[in-house]
């Protein structure tokens, strides 16, 4: 993937990833959901959610098991084409289960974004784990 697009768009996209990560770590459901388009898709090795309502349901199911979560990501290449973009990021999560014990996960997101009403949002996030530890 080749870097492209204006500096302003690339900074706005980087801010989207920062908001997403911060909301994840704080358990801020509203802030996290605000990063998604209404018709977005969130896919991984264990689920495939279509639309913001399904994405929210999956988020609540995942988060219900944890009392603390650390989420960090590093944005990789961003390729902007007008009002859409493709990006890749690497993510690391460490969660503490309410029942005790930790869960560690690191992987890669392949993302498609779109500018909607002036804001960059996720319209498709596809996650593949690289390392998992329960």
């Amino acid at each position: 993937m080749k870097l492209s697009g204006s500096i302003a768009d690339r900074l706005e996209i980087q801010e989207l990833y920062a908001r997403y990560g911060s909301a994840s770590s704080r358990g801020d459901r509203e802030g996290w959901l605000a990063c998604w388009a209404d018709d977005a898709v969130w896919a991984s090795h264990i689920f495939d959610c279509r639309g913001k309502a399904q994405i929210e349901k999956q988020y609540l199911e995942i988060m219900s098991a944890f009392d603390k979560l650390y989420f960090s990501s590093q944005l990789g290449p961003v390729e902007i084409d007008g009002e859409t973009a493709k990006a890749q990021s690497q993510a690391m999560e460490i969660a503490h289960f309410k029942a005790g014990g930790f869960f560690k996960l690191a992987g890669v997101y392949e993302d498609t974004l779109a500018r909607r009403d002036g804001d960059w949002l996720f319209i498709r996030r596809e996650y593949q784990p690289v390392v998992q530890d329960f």
Side-chain angles (χ1 to χ4, degrees):
M1 187 179 298
K2 185 174 140 183
L3 289 174
S4 66
S6 73
I7 297 294
D9 282 336
R10 289 171 46 206
L11 285 172
E12 287 178 28
I13 288 170
Q14 184 152 355
E15 178 63 23
L16 171 66
Y17 282 83
R19 288 193 326 268
Y20 182 94
S22 177
S24 295
S25 289
R26 291 181 289 112
D28 175 4
R29 179 180 56 86
E30 293 293 325
W32 187 85
L33 282 171
C35 296
W36 296 89
D38 290 339
D39 59 344
V41 173
W42 184 26
S44 82
H45 58 296
I46 56 174
F47 58 79
D48 188 353
C49 304
R50 297 179 181 276
K52 209 170 195 176
Q54 281 188 7
I55 290 170
E56 179 178 22
K57 182 179 177 186
Q58 185 66 55
Y59 171 89
L60 291 170
E61 182 179 318
I62 290 169
M63 295 302 283
S64 70
F66 307 135
D67 63 358
K68 294 179 186 173
L69 173 73
Y70 168 79
F71 181 95
S72 179
S73 70
Q74 174 65 44
L75 180 59
V78 177
E79 190 174 298
I80 300 168
D81 184 13
E83 300 296 299
T84 62
K86 295 208 178 281
Q88 184 184 78
S89 66
Q90 297 79 42
M92 183 177 71
E93 301 172 66
I94 302 171
H96 184 260
F97 287 105
K98 289 178 181 174
F102 288 91
F103 170 71
K104 300 171 192 166
L105 180 65
V108 176
Y109 279 100
E110 297 288 341
D111 297 324
T112 304
L113 303 92
R115 188 184 349 245
R116 303 263 172 94
D117 297 322
D119 294 320
W120 285 100
L121 300 170
F122 294 117
I123 59 171
R124 184 172 189 85
R125 297 206 85 194
E126 293 186 42
Y127 180 78
Q128 286 299 316
V130 176
V131 176
Q132 297 181 74
D133 183 18
F134 293 89

